[in-house]
Amino acid sequence: MTATKTVVIGLGNPYLGDDGVGVQVIRALADRLRGRDSVTVTELPAGGLRLMEAMVGCQRAFVVDAVRTGRKPPGTVMWLLLEDLELSLHCACSHDTSLGWALESGRRLGLDLPAEISVLGIEAARFDTFGEPMSPEVAGAVAEAERALLREIGRGANSDR
């Protein structure tokens, strides 16, 4: 069995409006990546330790989440640096720990964590009302985010084999 080299993780709650955009992107992406043994697609409700654990054994990790910068219009798709993770709604989990701390701890424990971690954020408009569908701007960004991820996953395709 071939070990997974790339993991793509969608964060969020699909029942909280725009908060579910990471999950929606991952669900759309899963069909496109079916059959690629070198890529795993997964959903998580929050970050912290569980997010770090989902990356163990992978060379690359892509995280997709709703963000709130207040500087971009809702639906804007943007690549973030690990230093920008406080903008993500779920990379840091109030019931757990930040992804940065979890990664540092995991590396100190000798866990095999990816050298390359990329975060794709989608600016959210509303994310705290239970049961509301995503705003039209954010729902419209799902396809753009999916294309951005496919491009980046494809750039490392030769190293995934």
Side-chain angles (χ1 to χ4, degrees), residues 24-105:
Q24 295 305 323
V25 170
I26 291 306
R27 289 177 180 172
L29 190 66
D31 288 337
R32 304 278 302 270
L33 294 174
R34 196 172 319 281
R36 281 187 70 175
D37 294 337
S38 63
V39 181
T40 296
V41 178
T42 191
E43 299 175 18
L44 288 175
L49 291 171
R50 286 187 289 178
L51 179 54
M52 180 270 298
E53 289 171 347
M55 298 178 187
V56 172
C58 295
Q59 293 176 343
R60 296 186 308 157
F62 295 94
V63 179
V64 187
D65 197 10
V67 297
R68 183 176 44 189
T69 68
R71 298 184 306 265
K72 305 278 185 180
T76 302
V77 176
M78 62 197 102
W79 288 103
L80 302 171
L81 302 172
L82 282 177
E83 296 81 38
D84 296 327
L85 289 181
E86 70 272 3
L87 301 172
S88 169
L89 297 180
H90 292 290
C91 280
C93 178
S94 61
H95 300 291
D96 197 335
T97 186
S98 71
L99 176 59
W101 188 89
L103 289 169
E104 181 181 331
S105 298

